[in-house]
Amino acid sequence: MAVRPILQLGTTSLYDECDPVTAGEVAALAGAVGDLHDTMRSFQKTRGWGRAIAAPQIGVQRRIVAMHVTEPITLFNPVLDQHADREVEYWEDCMSFPDLLVRIRLPEACRLTYRDASWTEHHVWLTGDYAALLQHEVDHLDGVLATQRAVGARALALRSTQPDKDLAWRGEFRPL
């Protein structure tokens, strides 16, 4: 596996919707999945943050997300199919624009459906940071960047001008 360059804000392919993965393609995509995990771990070591990465961020236009909060997990064809009515605002970061924070508003909870590498379907209810993280990653798969969700006239800030973000991890990734 390899660490790939992370495509940066302004790269046109980041605005393209990704193609779904079929069960028969999982084995052929193992190298790209490994690259996603390696790239994320390298970013974490270098920057000290980053818990998930979407395939288009390394130039793979497929519906795949690599995540590592408590353990590595790969999500194939993730879909957000239910959302809480209540929305929350927070500062969003992204590996594709690591020095920029964007103020956005998203539902505080949602349901995620995805398949794992064995092609087993999972349904999980996401709250807190998990909800924000996976909504961000699914947005990447849909060609939507956090900058497009900016809220208000002062929605952009350099990371260096903001106090350190609270690193406590909140929320649930709860199987249904």
Side-chain angles (χ1 to χ4, degrees), residues 96-168:
S96 290
F97 38 90
D99 298 321
L100 183 67
L101 296 173
V102 182
R103 187 84 172 155
I104 66 168
R105 182 181 302 123
L106 290 173
E108 71 176 343
C110 56
R111 186 176 90 155
L112 176 76
T113 300
Y114 71 94
R115 293 194 178 267
D116 63 20
S118 300
W119 212 245
T120 302
E121 186 172 84
H122 298 269
H123 304 277
V124 293
W125 186 248
L126 307 169
T127 62
D129 293 331
Y130 283 100
L133 177 66
L134 272 303
Q135 287 177 88
H136 175 92
E137 299 308 331
V138 171
D139 270 355
H140 270 297
L141 303 179
D142 293 335
V144 177
L145 300 181
T147 53
Q148 294 166 269
R149 294 194 181 278
V151 174
R154 296 183 182 189
L156 303 176
L158 293 175
R159 181 178 290 278
S160 61
T161 65
Q162 298 301 309
D164 287 339
K165 292 176 73 172
D166 179 6
L167 297 179

Side-chain angles (χ1 to χ4, degrees), residues 37-58:
H37 284 281
D38 289 350
T39 301
M40 180 178 51
R41 279 191 294 274
S42 175
F43 185 92
Q44 289 169 331
K45 287 179 186 174
T46 304
R47 294 285 186 151
W49 59 274
R51 295 179 174 124
I53 188 170
Q57 291 179 273
I58 63 166

Side-chain angles (χ1 to χ4, degrees), residues 42-106:
S42 175
F43 185 92
Q44 289 169 331
K45 287 179 186 174
T46 304
R47 294 285 186 151
W49 59 274
R51 295 179 174 124
I53 188 170
Q57 291 179 273
I58 63 166
V60 177
Q61 293 303 118
R62 304 308 292 275
R63 296 190 75 82
I64 307 168
V65 171
M67 182 173 80
H68 190 140
V69 175
T70 57
E71 63 186 58
I73 183 172
T74 304
L75 310 156
F76 292 94
N77 300 331
V79 174
L80 298 166
D81 52 11
Q82 292 180 14
H83 296 88
D85 290 334
R86 183 170 182 261
E87 292 186 334
V88 292
E89 282 188 19
Y90 62 95
W91 287 105
E92 177 78 346
D93 54 21
C94 181
M95 293 179 193
S96 290
F97 38 90
D99 298 321
L100 183 67
L101 296 173
V102 182
R103 187 84 172 155
I104 66 168
R105 182 181 302 123
L106 290 173

